[in-house]
Amino acid sequence: MSTDAVLNAPDLSLTAAAAQRIADLSRLEGRPLMLRIGVDAGGCSGFQYQFDLVEAADPDDRRIERDGAAALVDEISLVLLKGSEIDFVDELAGAEFRIRNPNARSSCGCGVSFSI
């Protein structure tokens, strides 16, 4: 599928750090990559975030762009992520993509699962 057919997701945003990390990973792999974000049922709080690096979008994906980097979210996950910010943090405990989700009422200690 052409990325031109992928719709933009104005209700989500990428931080500069997340965009830079996606660009760095693309350079390391030697090919353009996008960060796919999804929400699945499960985890210790009810829902859990899923992250993957992909080269192509699926037909129902929404695209978030910043500084030439892109993230993708499917329509179903978009409902649970509306208004969220996708960030990348590099701390002593580890480096990871994180979601700041204003819809989450609570989340687990690891930050991977949440409840609505």
Side-chain angles (χ1 to χ4, degrees):
M1 163 175 197
S2 163
T3 56
D4 294 336
V6 178
L7 300 174
N8 287 329
D11 293 330
L12 294 175
S13 64
L14 278 173
T15 65
Q20 183 62 54
R21 183 60 179 163
I22 295 166
D24 291 346
L25 291 168
S26 293
R27 257 190 310 283
L28 286 170
E29 290 290 320
R31 58 194 164 106
L33 296 171
M34 295 175 278
L35 177 67
R36 178 182 306 286
I37 302 155
V39 176
D40 290 331
C44 54
S45 296
F47 295 101
Q48 60 188 5
Y49 299 115
Q50 299 292 323
F51 299 97
D52 196 11
L53 292 171
V54 298
E55 292 183 59
D58 288 340
D60 69 338
D61 281 339
R62 299 297 184 254
R63 184 182 186 101
I64 307 101
E65 294 183 352
R66 181 171 182 159
D67 303 330
L72 304 169
V73 179
D74 63 88
E75 287 184 29
I76 294 169
S77 297
L78 184 61
V79 173
L80 298 169
L81 294 170
K82 186 175 182 174
S84 294
E85 180 181 65
I86 303 154
D87 194 13
F88 181 78
V89 294
D90 191 354
E91 300 172 333
L92 186 59
E96 64 186 359
F97 286 101
R98 281 195 192 150
I99 308 272
R100 292 188 188 103
N101 187 343
N103 306 303
R105 283 187 309 163
S106 64
S107 63
C108 67
C110 67
V112 174
S113 69
F114 66 99
S115 66
I116 299 271

